[in-house]
Structure formats: structure tokens, C-alpha cells
Amino acid sequence: MRLALSILLLVAVAACAKGSNSSAGAAASAAAEKNPASASDGGGVYSANCSSCHQANGQGVPGAFPPLDGNPTVTGNPVAVITIVKNGLEGRVVVSSQAYSGIMPRWKGLLSDEQLASVITYIRSAWKNHAPGVSVADVQSVK
Ligand code: HEC
């Protein structure tokens, strides 16, 4: 009898814990959709995937990889930056009167939407840049 009761209690506690976890999860993901991603997570994504070309200090390599620091494309219209990072870029771009005609790989499919949001938030606010971050929902709304 006591055993049955404690099993019942265990089941009830487990069900409760499960319920509260999933509602906390739903609240967290709703918040994540509205709020810009964390730039601190983006720093790690940047070092692992972007700094080999654009350099840790965001200065790039003149003539080969454009700087992201102080680059008005990076701090400008968030849709344009998201489009470039998601789909890549090929063709001539001019940054600080230096021309580039390299190939920027597409990151869609290689990085998750969360990683894209946090790395874009990072490049928009790192170094001398002070643009607002982008959210996961912003990233998802750009094809
Ligand atoms: C293999 C080298 C390479 C890597 C890795 C790379 N990029 Fe690029 N990126 C480039 C090149 C080259 C261009 C310029 C493309 C062109 O000339 O059309 C560019 C352009 C850009 C631009 C547009 C700059 C402008 O002024 O138009 C942004 C933004 C950007 N990269 C962000 C990133 C981010 C974020 C990452 C990491 C997720 C990344 N890049 C990784 C090579 C790279």
C-alpha cells in the first residue's frame, strides 16, 4: 500500500516536472523570437567560422577579404546583412575604397538559425560597430 502510494507520488511529481519544463521551454523560445540573439554566443561562432577570412579584429585582408569593422553594409539594413551571410556573396564589392571580388560562402544549412542570428548580432556590435542585433525570427524571415 505504501509502495503503491509512493509510486503514484513519483509519477505525479514526474508529470509535474515535465509540464513545467515544457512551458518554460515555450516561454524561452517565444522570448528568443522577439529578442536579438546573444552577441557573446556569436563571438564563438565568429572565431570558428569567419575569423579565418575576416580576421579576429574584423579588419579582413585588404584586397582579399573585406573588413566587417566599420563597414556600413554590416551595420546597415539587417535584411541585407542576413541575406549576405545566409546566401553568400559573389561579385565586386567596394569597402573603404578598396575593391573585392572574391567569393563568400553561403552559411545557410551550415550554421543553424540560432548561430546565424548570434553571429550577425556579434558582427553588428563588435569592434567599432554599434548596430542593434537580429533575432532568430529575423533570420528565418529572410529566404
Ligand atoms: C573563405 C573566406 C570567408 C569566410 C570564412 C567568411 N567570409 Fe564573409 N566574405 C568573404 C569575401 C571574399 C567577401 C566579399 C565577397 C565579394 O567580393 O563579393 C565576404 C563578404 C562578407 C560580407 C559583406 C561585406 C560587404 O561589405 O558587402 C559579410 C557581412 C560577411 N562576409 C560576413 C561573414 C560572416 C558573418 C562569416 C562567418 C559566418 C563570414 N563572412 C565568413 C570571405 C569569407
Side-chain angles (χ1 to χ4, degrees):
M1 182 61 188
R2 253 177 69 196
L3 186 72
L5 205 83
S6 43
I7 287 174
L8 210 95
L9 212 87
L10 261 176
V11 169
V13 166
C16 239
K18 216 173 134 202
S20 70
N21 267 350
S22 66
S23 67
S29 65
E33 271 178 34
K34 281 194 209 91
N35 296 325
S38 146
S40 57
D41 295 347
V45 179
Y46 183 85
S47 335
N49 300 282
C50 321
S51 63
S52 56
C53 292
H54 296 288
Q55 308 300 300
N57 61 6
Q59 296 302 316
V61 176
F65 309 116
L68 302 181
D69 184 19
N71 180 333
T73 303
V74 174
T75 51
N77 181 352
V79 172
V81 193
I82 294 169
T83 305
I84 291 170
V85 178
K86 262 187 133 168
N87 298 320
L89 187 67
E90 202 176 332
R92 199 178 130 92
V93 295
V94 176
V95 184
S96 309
S97 47
Q98 168 84 55
Y100 297 85
S101 39
I103 296 174
M104 153 86 163
R106 61 175 7 231
W107 293 99
K108 185 161 73 181
L110 295 175
L111 297 178
S112 68
D113 292 338
E114 288 75 15
Q115 288 174 314
L116 287 167
S118 50
V119 77
I120 294 167
T121 295
Y122 175 77
I123 63 172
R124 283 167 65 80
S125 59
W127 319 298
K128 296 190 289 288
N129 296 348
H130 296 294
V134 303
S135 67
V136 173
D138 294 333
V139 167
Q140 285 167 345
S141 67
V142 172
K143 290 300 152 208

